[in-house]
PDB file of all heavy atoms in Angstrom:
ATOM      1  N   ASP B  10      83.622 134.994 118.533  1.00  0.00           N
ATOM      2  CA  ASP B  10      85.032 134.964 118.915  1.00  0.00           C
ATOM      3  C   ASP B  10      85.575 133.548 118.826  1.00  0.00           C
ATOM      4  O   ASP B  10      84.952 132.614 119.318  1.00  0.00           O
ATOM      5  CB  ASP B  10      85.101 135.475 120.363  1.00  0.00           C
ATOM      6  CG  ASP B  10      86.521 135.608 120.852  1.00  0.00           C
ATOM      7  OD1 ASP B  10      87.415 135.091 120.166  1.00  0.00           O
ATOM      8  OD2 ASP B  10      86.714 136.230 121.896  1.00  0.00           O
ATOM      9  N   SER B  15      88.870 124.667 125.841  1.00  0.00           N
ATOM     10  CA  SER B  15      88.139 123.411 125.694  1.00  0.00           C
ATOM     11  C   SER B  15      87.077 123.467 124.608  1.00  0.00           C
ATOM     12  O   SER B  15      86.590 124.518 124.240  1.00  0.00           O
ATOM     13  CB  SER B  15      87.503 123.083 127.029  1.00  0.00           C
ATOM     14  OG  SER B  15      86.521 122.119 126.868  1.00  0.00           O
ATOM     15  N   LEU B  18      82.287 124.460 125.119  1.00  0.00           N
ATOM     16  CA  LEU B  18      82.420 125.916 125.195  1.00  0.00           C
ATOM     17  C   LEU B  18      81.557 126.554 126.277  1.00  0.00           C
ATOM     18  O   LEU B  18      81.874 127.597 126.781  1.00  0.00           O
ATOM     19  CB  LEU B  18      82.087 126.522 123.827  1.00  0.00           C
ATOM     20  CG  LEU B  18      83.043 126.119 122.710  1.00  0.00           C
ATOM     21  CD1 LEU B  18      82.608 126.724 121.396  1.00  0.00           C
ATOM     22  CD2 LEU B  18      84.467 126.541 123.021  1.00  0.00           C
ATOM     23  N   GLU B  44      72.168 128.223 116.933  1.00  0.00           N
ATOM     24  CA  GLU B  44      72.925 128.443 118.166  1.00  0.00           C
ATOM     25  C   GLU B  44      74.236 127.635 118.133  1.00  0.00           C
ATOM     26  O   GLU B  44      75.296 128.144 118.506  1.00  0.00           O
ATOM     27  CB  GLU B  44      72.058 128.022 119.362  1.00  0.00           C
ATOM     28  CG  GLU B  44      72.733 128.108 120.715  1.00  0.00           C
ATOM     29  CD  GLU B  44      73.214 129.510 121.056  1.00  0.00           C
ATOM     30  OE1 GLU B  44      72.588 130.483 120.599  1.00  0.00           O
ATOM     31  OE2 GLU B  44      74.232 129.622 121.760  1.00  0.00           O
ATOM     32  N   VAL B  46      75.831 126.724 115.435  1.00  0.00           N
ATOM     33  CA  VAL B  46      76.697 127.371 114.436  1.00  0.00           C
ATOM     34  C   VAL B  46      77.416 128.556 115.070  1.00  0.00           C
ATOM     35  O   VAL B  46      78.641 128.687 114.968  1.00  0.00           O
ATOM     36  CB  VAL B  46      75.878 127.823 113.198  1.00  0.00           C
ATOM     37  CG1 VAL B  46      76.716 128.710 112.286  1.00  0.00           C
ATOM     38  CG2 VAL B  46      75.371 126.618 112.427  1.00  0.00           C
ATOM     39  N   ARG B  47      76.644 129.394 115.735  1.00  0.00           N
ATOM     40  CA  ARG B  47      77.255 130.591 116.343  1.00  0.00           C
ATOM     41  C   ARG B  47      78.259 130.201 117.431  1.00  0.00           C
ATOM     42  O   ARG B  47      79.250 130.868 117.643  1.00  0.00           O
ATOM     43  CB  ARG B  47      76.167 131.505 116.909  1.00  0.00           C
ATOM     44  CG  ARG B  47      75.522 132.350 115.818  1.00  0.00           C
ATOM     45  CD  ARG B  47      74.523 133.333 116.388  1.00  0.00           C
ATOM     46  NE  ARG B  47      73.301 132.673 116.783  1.00  0.00           N
ATOM     47  CZ  ARG B  47      72.272 132.462 115.958  1.00  0.00           C
ATOM     48  NH1 ARG B  47      72.336 132.872 114.712  1.00  0.00           N
ATOM     49  NH2 ARG B  47      71.188 131.857 116.381  1.00  0.00           N
ATOM     50  N   MET B  54      86.452 128.289 111.954  1.00  0.00           N
ATOM     51  CA  MET B  54      87.070 129.132 110.921  1.00  0.00           C
ATOM     52  C   MET B  54      88.569 129.241 111.164  1.00  0.00           C
ATOM     53  O   MET B  54      89.374 129.163 110.239  1.00  0.00           O
ATOM     54  CB  MET B  54      86.464 130.535 110.966  1.00  0.00           C
ATOM     55  CG  MET B  54      85.323 130.767 110.011  1.00  0.00           C
ATOM     56  SD  MET B  54      85.820 130.699 108.291  1.00  0.00           S
ATOM     57  CE  MET B  54      86.650 132.265 108.103  1.00  0.00           C
ATOM     58  N   LEU B  57      90.229 126.007 110.187  1.00  0.00           N
ATOM     59  CA  LEU B  57      90.243 125.827 108.728  1.00  0.00           C
ATOM     60  C   LEU B  57      91.231 126.777 108.064  1.00  0.00           C
ATOM     61  O   LEU B  57      91.887 126.417 107.079  1.00  0.00           O
ATOM     62  CB  LEU B  57      88.835 126.024 108.157  1.00  0.00           C
ATOM     63  CG  LEU B  57      87.873 124.885 108.476  1.00  0.00           C
ATOM     64  CD1 LEU B  57      86.439 125.269 108.130  1.00  0.00           C
ATOM     65  CD2 LEU B  57      88.260 123.609 107.745  1.00  0.00           C
ATOM     66  N   LEU B  66      87.892 130.689 101.178  1.00  0.00           N
ATOM     67  CA  LEU B  66      87.783 129.230 101.087  1.00  0.00           C
ATOM     68  C   LEU B  66      87.457 128.637 102.461  1.00  0.00           C
ATOM     69  O   LEU B  66      86.618 127.728 102.582  1.00  0.00           O
ATOM     70  CB  LEU B  66      89.099 128.647 100.552  1.00  0.00           C
ATOM     71  CG  LEU B  66      89.142 127.135 100.351  1.00  0.00           C
ATOM     72  CD1 LEU B  66      88.035 126.668  99.420  1.00  0.00           C
ATOM     73  CD2 LEU B  66      90.499 126.715  99.782  1.00  0.00           C
ATOM     74  N   ALA B  67      88.107 129.187 103.493  1.00  0.00           N
ATOM     75  CA  ALA B  67      87.844 128.691 104.848  1.00  0.00           C
ATOM     76  C   ALA B  67      86.376 128.924 105.218  1.00  0.00           C
ATOM     77  O   ALA B  67      85.739 128.067 105.837  1.00  0.00           O
ATOM     78  CB  ALA B  67      88.753 129.398 105.851  1.00  0.00           C
ATOM     79  N   ASP B  69      83.860 129.073 103.100  1.00  0.00           N
ATOM     80  CA  ASP B  69      83.054 128.077 102.352  1.00  0.00           C
ATOM     81  C   ASP B  69      83.109 126.715 103.034  1.00  0.00           C
ATOM     82  O   ASP B  69      82.102 126.017 103.146  1.00  0.00           O
ATOM     83  CB  ASP B  69      83.586 127.941 100.915  1.00  0.00           C
ATOM     84  CG  ASP B  69      83.238 129.159 100.076  1.00  0.00           C
ATOM     85  OD1 ASP B  69      82.397 129.963 100.536  1.00  0.00           O
ATOM     86  OD2 ASP B  69      83.810 129.315  98.990  1.00  0.00           O
ATOM     87  N   ARG B  81      74.054 114.821 108.682  1.00  0.00           N
ATOM     88  CA  ARG B  81      74.370 113.559 109.353  1.00  0.00           C
ATOM     89  C   ARG B  81      73.946 113.542 110.822  1.00  0.00           C
ATOM     90  O   ARG B  81      74.362 112.655 111.556  1.00  0.00           O
ATOM     91  CB  ARG B  81      75.881 113.306 109.283  1.00  0.00           C
ATOM     92  CG  ARG B  81      76.396 113.196 107.881  1.00  0.00           C
ATOM     93  CD  ARG B  81      77.902 113.125 107.874  1.00  0.00           C
ATOM     94  NE  ARG B  81      78.428 113.280 106.528  1.00  0.00           N
ATOM     95  CZ  ARG B  81      79.705 113.267 106.233  1.00  0.00           C
ATOM     96  NH1 ARG B  81      80.600 113.094 107.182  1.00  0.00           N
ATOM     97  NH2 ARG B  81      80.107 113.423 104.992  1.00  0.00           N
ATOM     98  N   ARG B  90      80.619 113.488 122.389  1.00  0.00           N
ATOM     99  CA  ARG B  90      80.621 114.948 122.431  1.00  0.00           C
ATOM    100  C   ARG B  90      80.477 115.517 121.024  1.00  0.00           C
ATOM    101  O   ARG B  90      81.073 115.017 120.078  1.00  0.00           O
ATOM    102  CB  ARG B  90      81.904 115.449 123.096  1.00  0.00           C
ATOM    103  CG  ARG B  90      81.886 115.188 124.608  1.00  0.00           C
ATOM    104  CD  ARG B  90      83.277 115.242 125.163  1.00  0.00           C
ATOM    105  NE  ARG B  90      83.827 116.583 125.060  1.00  0.00           N
ATOM    106  CZ  ARG B  90      85.120 116.833 125.011  1.00  0.00           C
ATOM    107  NH1 ARG B  90      85.993 115.838 125.030  1.00  0.00           N
ATOM    108  NH2 ARG B  90      85.546 118.068 124.950  1.00  0.00           N
ATOM    109  N   PHE B  91      79.700 116.580 120.944  1.00  0.00           N
ATOM    110  CA  PHE B  91      79.391 117.173 119.650  1.00  0.00           C
ATOM    111  C   PHE B  91      80.603 117.890 119.046  1.00  0.00           C
ATOM    112  O   PHE B  91      80.891 117.752 117.856  1.00  0.00           O
ATOM    113  CB  PHE B  91      78.220 118.153 119.804  1.00  0.00           C
ATOM    114  CG  PHE B  91      77.874 118.885 118.546  1.00  0.00           C
ATOM    115  CD1 PHE B  91      77.166 118.254 117.534  1.00  0.00           C
ATOM    116  CD2 PHE B  91      78.257 120.212 118.363  1.00  0.00           C
ATOM    117  CE1 PHE B  91      76.843 118.925 116.364  1.00  0.00           C
ATOM    118  CE2 PHE B  91      77.944 120.889 117.190  1.00  0.00           C
ATOM    119  CZ  PHE B  91      77.235 120.244 116.196  1.00  0.00           C
ATOM    120  N   LEU B 102      87.552 117.912 105.939  1.00  0.00           N
ATOM    121  CA  LEU B 102      87.276 118.751 104.764  1.00  0.00           C
ATOM    122  C   LEU B 102      88.506 119.599 104.420  1.00  0.00           C
ATOM    123  O   LEU B 102      88.879 119.709 103.259  1.00  0.00           O
ATOM    124  CB  LEU B 102      86.105 119.679 105.057  1.00  0.00           C
ATOM    125  CG  LEU B 102      84.724 119.232 104.611  1.00  0.00           C
ATOM    126  CD1 LEU B 102      83.676 120.234 105.065  1.00  0.00           C
ATOM    127  CD2 LEU B 102      84.670 119.115 103.107  1.00  0.00           C
ATOM    128  N   SER B 124      95.459 141.338 104.169  1.00  0.00           N
ATOM    129  CA  SER B 124      94.059 141.346 104.582  1.00  0.00           C
ATOM    130  C   SER B 124      93.620 139.939 104.950  1.00  0.00           C
ATOM    131  O   SER B 124      92.866 139.744 105.901  1.00  0.00           O
ATOM    132  CB  SER B 124      93.184 141.884 103.462  1.00  0.00           C
ATOM    133  OG  SER B 124      93.286 141.046 102.342  1.00  0.00           O
ATOM    134  N   ILE B 128      96.243 140.974 109.377  1.00  0.00           N
ATOM    135  CA  ILE B 128      97.167 141.906 110.034  1.00  0.00           C
ATOM    136  C   ILE B 128      96.541 143.293 110.056  1.00  0.00           C
ATOM    137  O   ILE B 128      96.075 143.789 109.051  1.00  0.00           O
ATOM    138  CB  ILE B 128      98.528 141.950 109.280  1.00  0.00           C
ATOM    139  CG1 ILE B 128      99.161 140.571 109.270  1.00  0.00           C
ATOM    140  CG2 ILE B 128      99.453 142.984 109.880  1.00  0.00           C
ATOM    141  CD1 ILE B 128      99.558 140.053 110.620  1.00  0.00           C
ATOM    142  N   PRO B 133     102.245 149.148 114.239  1.00  0.00           N
ATOM    143  CA  PRO B 133     103.471 149.869 113.864  1.00  0.00           C
ATOM    144  C   PRO B 133     104.196 149.262 112.657  1.00  0.00           C
ATOM    145  O   PRO B 133     104.491 149.969 111.725  1.00  0.00           O
ATOM    146  CB  PRO B 133     104.330 149.764 115.129  1.00  0.00           C
ATOM    147  CG  PRO B 133     103.386 149.451 116.225  1.00  0.00           C
ATOM    148  CD  PRO B 133     102.217 148.775 115.640  1.00  0.00           C
ATOM    149  N   GLU B 137     107.052 142.550 110.364  1.00  0.00           N
ATOM    150  CA  GLU B 137     107.743 141.633 111.266  1.00  0.00           C
ATOM    151  C   GLU B 137     106.866 140.424 111.589  1.00  0.00           C
ATOM    152  O   GLU B 137     107.299 139.288 111.537  1.00  0.00           O
ATOM    153  CB  GLU B 137     108.100 142.386 112.543  1.00  0.00           C
ATOM    154  CG  GLU B 137     109.055 141.616 113.429  1.00  0.00           C
ATOM    155  CD  GLU B 137     109.350 142.355 114.724  1.00  0.00           C
ATOM    156  OE1 GLU B 137     109.335 143.595 114.696  1.00  0.00           O
ATOM    157  OE2 GLU B 137     109.569 141.679 115.725  1.00  0.00           O
ATOM    158  N   LEU B 139     104.340 139.445 109.816  1.00  0.00           N
ATOM    159  CA  LEU B 139     104.128 138.720 108.569  1.00  0.00           C
ATOM    160  C   LEU B 139     105.270 137.736 108.348  1.00  0.00           C
ATOM    161  O   LEU B 139     105.069 136.587 107.981  1.00  0.00           O
ATOM    162  CB  LEU B 139     104.070 139.738 107.431  1.00  0.00           C
ATOM    163  CG  LEU B 139     103.245 139.351 106.217  1.00  0.00           C
ATOM    164  CD1 LEU B 139     101.803 139.164 106.632  1.00  0.00           C
ATOM    165  CD2 LEU B 139     103.348 140.438 105.171  1.00  0.00           C
ATOM    166  N   VAL B 148     107.903 126.377 107.617  1.00  0.00           N
ATOM    167  CA  VAL B 148     108.454 125.250 108.393  1.00  0.00           C
ATOM    168  C   VAL B 148     107.390 124.171 108.530  1.00  0.00           C
ATOM    169  O   VAL B 148     107.666 122.986 108.350  1.00  0.00           O
ATOM    170  CB  VAL B 148     108.930 125.733 109.789  1.00  0.00           C
ATOM    171  CG1 VAL B 148     109.352 124.555 110.645  1.00  0.00           C
ATOM    172  CG2 VAL B 148     110.095 126.699 109.647  1.00  0.00           C
ATOM    173  N   SER B 169      93.412 120.417 123.585  1.00  0.00           N
ATOM    174  CA  SER B 169      94.172 119.493 124.441  1.00  0.00           C
ATOM    175  C   SER B 169      94.443 118.201 123.666  1.00  0.00           C
ATOM    176  O   SER B 169      93.784 117.931 122.649  1.00  0.00           O
ATOM    177  CB  SER B 169      93.365 119.177 125.701  1.00  0.00           C
ATOM    178  OG  SER B 169      92.269 118.368 125.365  1.00  0.00           O
ATOM    179  N   ILE B 173      92.233 116.419 120.713  1.00  0.00           N
ATOM    180  CA  ILE B 173      92.784 116.096 119.389  1.00  0.00           C
ATOM    181  C   ILE B 173      92.566 114.602 119.097  1.00  0.00           C
ATOM    182  O   ILE B 173      92.231 114.216 117.978  1.00  0.00           O
ATOM    183  CB  ILE B 173      94.289 116.452 119.307  1.00  0.00           C
ATOM    184  CG1 ILE B 173      94.457 117.960 119.517  1.00  0.00           C
ATOM    185  CG2 ILE B 173      94.881 116.044 117.973  1.00  0.00           C
ATOM    186  CD1 ILE B 173      95.892 118.401 119.713  1.00  0.00           C
ATOM    187  N   LYS B 180      94.102 107.146 119.407  1.00  0.00           N
ATOM    188  CA  LYS B 180      94.334 107.050 120.851  1.00  0.00           C
ATOM    189  C   LYS B 180      95.166 108.251 121.306  1.00  0.00           C
ATOM    190  O   LYS B 180      95.995 108.748 120.532  1.00  0.00           O
ATOM    191  CB  LYS B 180      95.081 105.758 121.167  1.00  0.00           C
ATOM    192  CG  LYS B 180      94.229 104.526 120.994  1.00  0.00           C
ATOM    193  CD  LYS B 180      95.027 103.291 121.293  1.00  0.00           C
ATOM    194  CE  LYS B 180      94.167 102.065 121.063  1.00  0.00           C
ATOM    195  NZ  LYS B 180      94.932 100.834 121.033  1.00  0.00           N
ATOM    196  N   ARG B 197     113.901 121.111 114.441  1.00  0.00           N
ATOM    197  CA  ARG B 197     115.050 120.790 113.584  1.00  0.00           C
ATOM    198  C   ARG B 197     115.041 121.670 112.324  1.00  0.00           C
ATOM    199  O   ARG B 197     116.041 122.266 111.943  1.00  0.00           O
ATOM    200  CB  ARG B 197     114.973 119.304 113.190  1.00  0.00           C
ATOM    201  CG  ARG B 197     116.330 118.701 112.848  1.00  0.00           C
ATOM    202  CD  ARG B 197     116.155 117.276 112.398  1.00  0.00           C
ATOM    203  NE  ARG B 197     115.547 116.427 113.416  1.00  0.00           N
ATOM    204  CZ  ARG B 197     114.758 115.383 113.162  1.00  0.00           C
ATOM    205  NH1 ARG B 197     114.443 115.068 111.919  1.00  0.00           N
ATOM    206  NH2 ARG B 197     114.277 114.647 114.130  1.00  0.00           N
TER     207      ARG B 197
END
Side-chain angles (χ1 to χ4, degrees):
Chain B
D10 185 348
S15 164
L18 296 178
E44 176 59 30
V46 170
R47 280 185 285 272
M54 265 294 285
L57 288 169
L66 182 57
D69 287 347
R81 299 173 191 180
R90 288 161 66 205
F91 176 77
L102 264 176
S124 62
I128 300 295
E137 191 182 329
L139 208 62
V148 174
S169 71
I173 298 169
K180 289 179 182 167
R197 205 183 300 148

